[in-house]
Amino acid sequence: MRPAPRSLPALLCCCSAGLLLLLLRWRRWKRLWEKVEAARQRQEEGLDRMDKAVRSFREQHPSVNMVSILSLSLPELSRKLRDGSLPPEHVFYTYLSKALQITRETNCITEYMQESETQLQQARPPGKPGLLYGVPVSIKDSINCQGHDSTLGFVKNINQPMAEDSVLVQVLKRQGAIPFVKTNVPQSLISFDCKNLIFGQTFNPLLYTRTPGGSSGGEGALIGGGGSILGFGTDVGGSLRFPAAFCGICALKPTGNRLSKKGVISGIPGQKSVVAAVGPMAKDVESLALCMRALLCEDMFNLDSTVPPLPFNEEVYSSTQPLRIGYYETDFFTMPSPAMRRAVRETKKLLEDAGHTLVPFEITNVDYVTYNFCVRGMFADGCTSFLKKFEGELERSSVGTFFWLAKLPNCLKTLVSWIAKPFVPRLSNIIRSMRTNTVDELWGLHHEIEESCHQFIAQWKKLNLDVMLCPMLGPALGIGYPGKLSVAVSYTMLYNSLDFPAGVVPVTMVTDEDEKELKGYQGYFRDRWDRTLAKAFHGSVGLPVAVQCVALPWQEELCLRFMKEVETLTLKKNQIV
């Protein structure tokens, strides 16, 4: 029998309910868009204030040589500021002017901290000034600054100003630094691109069709373009190292707890399997070392007692003893680009010619570490914490397909992983690693990570190594590609899993010969990801390529010393050429 037709009142009731639901959704979306527009307006007003402040300063001080100030390294600048030969106002407004120019070109600044002008006007501190006295510094969006949002690219975090500065920012201020801008990040931070719905896409200052990297991409673009002399970001899978490598600058990811993370917001709060770190970014290694000298002080240890009281070891950093250096050209998971492989080979030769000993290091099981330690470790709760961040948000394009896979229940993740295995084994393994773990399984994972770390260190010590020379993904990928290439983080994420300090130093640029060789790039798996990575590398002649310098835990000074050696030898080679 045919079902009886619904009565007119019932149909009207259903239609009314549907229309009411649509109306409520529309009103909610309208409120969210109004918040986005207000945030963008506040961003533009901040840039206008920067412009007015710079124009006013130039009118009052027309003879200030801004080009000369911008040419100074951080150690030179700091020295002149502390001995009084260079007024802090001249430095501040010079960098304010340059930062404004760079953000107009790359969209890297999210907020101007107008109170920095007040801080600038404060009297010179009594006694000996801090190591960073008068130095303007830029701060990543996710590092809390009092009175300013830490959005992480989420609309819900707009108009949620922080009640106090992070410990990092407090120590910077006590050392005399002047935080003056906050910089852009990808939505959720779990990306090595730099785009969100609120502030849009940030572009690489060296080539606007390329990503600056992420998640500290705003910092990379601003410093790479010369708009900041020192900046700070975070790193849970390469988020300091990608922007530095892509934008041709230096960065240091310290051991996870060498610098305080109190007041620094994580993309996935609570996860401990893959260790996050906060660290500095600058044009050169000596600037990073100066920064670490300033930060590793009593104030840091007093404000956060979980940070070990380890002051900067000048003797280690200043040593000139030859080093015993391990190295590898590939991790056999992500095939290096021709320029990337050449960067390691040429750096190895420079180091050998300088009297250092280079020892091949056999890197193994990176695929297992990537799937079972990194992906599984970060999303051990079945992606629940990650997905909660996106509740009520307008857009999730920054994480693309990954977001929808994360939403699948365990049984469907298992099924999709099984179906995908014969065709796309890497995708299959990633989906399998995103399943919810029991407490027993998570404890077992943590134990396995600890054992793997001890084995890696044992291999390191068996070869009697001081440091390690490693590849770094490069050159910069085209905009939009990082979202399609989550597997390409293998070179960086390994050292978050191990919790080793790691820094990047630019050593070469892509050549025409590299570009020709790229035509034969197939990757190790010859899957869609390998083909996509080849396309992402294409057309990169002239872009910088970096290497990664690694040391054992808590040996940041040795890592910096090695980075300095690589940088010095590279500069000498370029001067000869």
Side-chain angles (χ1 to χ4, degrees), residues 277-293:
V278 61
M281 304 170 74
K283 285 271 190 171
D284 56 73
V285 179
E286 190 58 54
S287 298
L288 300 178
L290 174 61
C291 171
M292 293 299 285
R293 285 189 196 99

Side-chain angles (χ1 to χ4, degrees), residues 234-346:
T234 60
D235 190 312
V236 76
S239 292
L240 281 161
R241 289 162 287 165
F242 281 118
F246 287 5
C247 297
I249 60 174
C250 300
L252 174 69
K253 179 205 81 68
T255 309
N257 213 38
R258 189 74 195 265
L259 296 177
S260 174
K261 291 178 282 189
K262 187 178 179 183
V264 177
I265 301 179
S266 168
I268 306 177
Q271 76 83 20
K272 301 291 185 183
S273 306
V274 184
V275 183
V278 61
M281 304 170 74
K283 285 271 190 171
D284 56 73
V285 179
E286 190 58 54
S287 298
L288 300 178
L290 174 61
C291 171
M292 293 299 285
R293 285 189 196 99
L295 292 176
L296 296 175
C297 62
E298 287 299 321
D299 285 328
M300 175 71 73
F301 312 138
N302 290 335
L303 289 167
D304 185 352
S305 297
T306 68
V307 175
L310 298 173
F312 190 85
N313 191 326
E314 196 65 53
E315 184 179 349
V316 171
Y317 178 67
S318 302
S319 172
T320 58
Q321 291 295 315
L323 296 168
R324 189 171 170 86
I325 305 164
Y327 76 95
Y328 57 92
E329 294 181 9
T330 177
D331 64 4
F332 298 102
F333 183 79
T334 305
M335 181 178 279
S337 68
M340 189 175 162
R341 192 185 292 267
R342 179 174 59 80
V344 175
R345 288 176 177 172
E346 290 183 354

Side-chain angles (χ1 to χ4, degrees), residues 79-105:
R79 199 157 44 243
K80 287 178 177 291
L81 283 165
R82 283 183 286 125
D83 68 18
S85 61
L86 188 60
E89 291 84 2
H90 292 192
V91 175
F92 180 83
Y93 288 105
T94 292
Y95 273 96
L96 202 64
S97 174
K98 188 64 176 179
L100 181 63
Q101 175 202 330
I102 297 303
T103 199
R104 293 293 191 198
E105 296 170 358

Side-chain angles (χ1 to χ4, degrees), residues 6 18 37 45 52 71 106 117 144-145 148 165 177 200 253 258 296-297 362 385 387 482-483 510 526 547 571 577:
R6 291 187 177 184
E37 289 301 320
E45 288 171 355
K52 289 175 183 175
S71 70
T106 66
E117 294 182 55
N144 289 351
C145 296
H148 299 276
D165 289 329
K253 179 205 81 68
R258 189 74 195 265
L296 296 175
C297 62
E362 186 180 354
S385 299
L387 293 171
V510 181
R526 301 191 179 190
V547 293
L571 289 172
V577 173

Side-chain angles (χ1 to χ4, degrees), residues 46 57 69 90 104 201 204 213 217-218 254 256 274 294 299 303 479 534 540 554 573-574:
F57 176 79
I69 292 173
H90 292 192
R104 293 293 191 198
Q201 175 74 54
N204 191 309
V274 184
D299 285 328
L303 289 167
I479 284 172
S540 302
W554 308 108
K573 181 196 76 170
N574 292 338

Side-chain angles (χ1 to χ4, degrees), residues 1-7 11:
M1 292 179 62
R2 294 176 61 188
R6 291 187 177 184
S7 64
L11 286 172

Side-chain angles (χ1 to χ4, degrees), residues 72-75 77-78 91 95 131-140 168 172 175-181 183 219-220 222-224 226-233 249-252 279-295:
L72 296 172
S73 68
L74 178 58
L77 184 76
S78 174
V91 175
Y95 273 96
L131 284 177
L132 298 175
Y133 169 71
V135 176
V137 298
S138 47
I139 307 291
K140 183 179 181 177
L168 175 75
L172 284 169
Q175 285 288 346
I178 305 173
F180 75 116
V181 291
T183 54
E219 284 298 314
L222 185 61
I223 299 167
S228 174
I229 198 167
L230 178 65
F232 294 87
I249 60 174
C250 300
L252 174 69
M281 304 170 74
K283 285 271 190 171
D284 56 73
V285 179
E286 190 58 54
S287 298
L288 300 178
L290 174 61
C291 171
M292 293 299 285
R293 285 189 196 99
L295 292 176

